[in-house]
Each structure stands twice: as structure tokens, then as C-alpha cells.
Amino acid sequence: MKELPRLFKNNDLWVEQSLAKDPNFFNSLAKEQSPRYLWIGCSDSRVPANEIVGLEAGELFVHRNIANLCIHTDFSFLSVLEFAVVKLKVEHVIVCGHYGCGGILAALENEELGLVDNWLRNIRDIITTYAQELKALPLLKERFRRLVEISVFEQVKNVCHTSIVQKAWKSSKHLCVHAWVYDLSTGRLKDLNASFSSLDQIEDHYRTA
């Protein structure tokens, strides 16, 4: 318990610094939030969403889980997505994976971890689908990096396949879904150039009637 007081001291310092920059910072923040972005990222402690993109509190709505998965039966993810799109009216949904993701590696190496193995089954499904492409890469580190990218792309498609996003598009709402990857070794973001903003970009059999 000795290390916990340090966190409260850090909080005091943060409050002081925030008020020094803007005396009304907390008064304004307490009224409402109006973020333009929803960030869906990994729970990894090395991937601090706000800091990576240089946004302040109140500017980025965040959902995180192991390996940044967007699963259609995960009501936590779906609830966050609906709240962000319908209530907060975000304009951009960013799915951001990261190189060096432990969840991706565990699935790739078929490592047995426990309860989380059931969660990572979704990544193993992706490995099966892209088996030929992954096997063509001779080195594990190459397969690892490529699987991180593939998984992000698949999660973006999952977001687009939800009734939440499709309903927004049907109502002509401006909403874009993006695929990004964060590089732990450089601190840089990589745009995978996979952005979706309309029903026309979705396969017919995934479109809701």
C-alpha cells in the first residue's frame, strides 16, 4: 500500500498544472463531454490513448480490452459504441491495435493462459482465415506484426457490421471508422488506410435490411 500515496500526489500535481493552464478547466469539464472521437484500443498499459494523440480529458471517448477486439456478442463494446455514436455523436471511431500485443502473440503461439483463451479464440479464428498469408511469412516476428494489422482490419469490419453504425449511416450521419496501429518502439501511429464511412463499403450480406 506504500506506493498508493504517490498516485494521490500525482493527482494533486495534475490538478495544479491543469488549473495553471486554464482556471476553468474542471468547471467546464464537469458540465458535459463532447468528444469527436471514440478510441477502441488494447488494455496494454503502454498504450495511453489520450497521450498518443495529444488530446485532453473530454476530447476522446475510450473503450479498451485485451487485443482491442470488437466482438458482436460483447455488450460492453456494443454499449460503448452505441453511447458514443447515438448520445455523444462522435464523428470518428478509431480501432487501434499495437505491435507487440501480448494477446495477439498468445493466440499466434497457441499459448494456454486460462479464461482469456476464450476471448482470444476470436483471434485464432482470424489466424485460420488468413493462414495462407501468415504461413508465407518466414519469421515469427513478421507473422506477429502482420497479424496485429489483420486483426485491426477485421475489428474495423466488425464495427461497421453492427446495426449501430449502419443505422447511423442510413440516417446520413457523418461517421468514419478507421484502422490504426501504434508502434511501441517508436511511439508512432500507423494508418492502415482502411477507413469506412458508408453502407456502400460493406458487403451486401452484412447490411441490415
Side-chain angles (χ1 to χ4, degrees), residues 35-40 60-61 81 84-85 89-96 155-162 164-170 172-180 191 193-199 201-202:
R36 294 181 57 200
Y37 317 95
L38 166 60
W39 173 284
I40 301 175
L60 188 70
F61 199 58
L81 180 63
V85 172
K89 303 185 187 305
V90 299
E91 298 177 2
H92 300 274
V93 177
I94 301 163
V95 180
C96 187
Q155 306 318 311
V156 163
K157 290 200 298 183
N158 285 347
V159 171
C160 295
H161 294 163
T162 63
I164 299 162
V165 168
Q166 293 192 35
K167 184 177 180 180
W169 284 339
K170 287 177 183 177
S172 300
K173 174 179 172 54
H174 174 68
L175 181 67
C176 296
V177 186
H178 311 275
W180 293 1
D191 188 345
N193 295 315
S195 295
F196 297 80
S197 58
S198 72
L199 284 171
Q201 295 173 274
I202 306 302

Side-chain angles (χ1 to χ4, degrees), residues 27-46:
N27 288 332
S28 300
L29 199 63
K31 292 178 181 177
E32 62 178 351
Q33 60 172 326
S34 56
R36 294 181 57 200
Y37 317 95
L38 166 60
W39 173 284
I40 301 175
C42 183
S43 297
D44 195 303
S45 60
R46 300 167 295 176

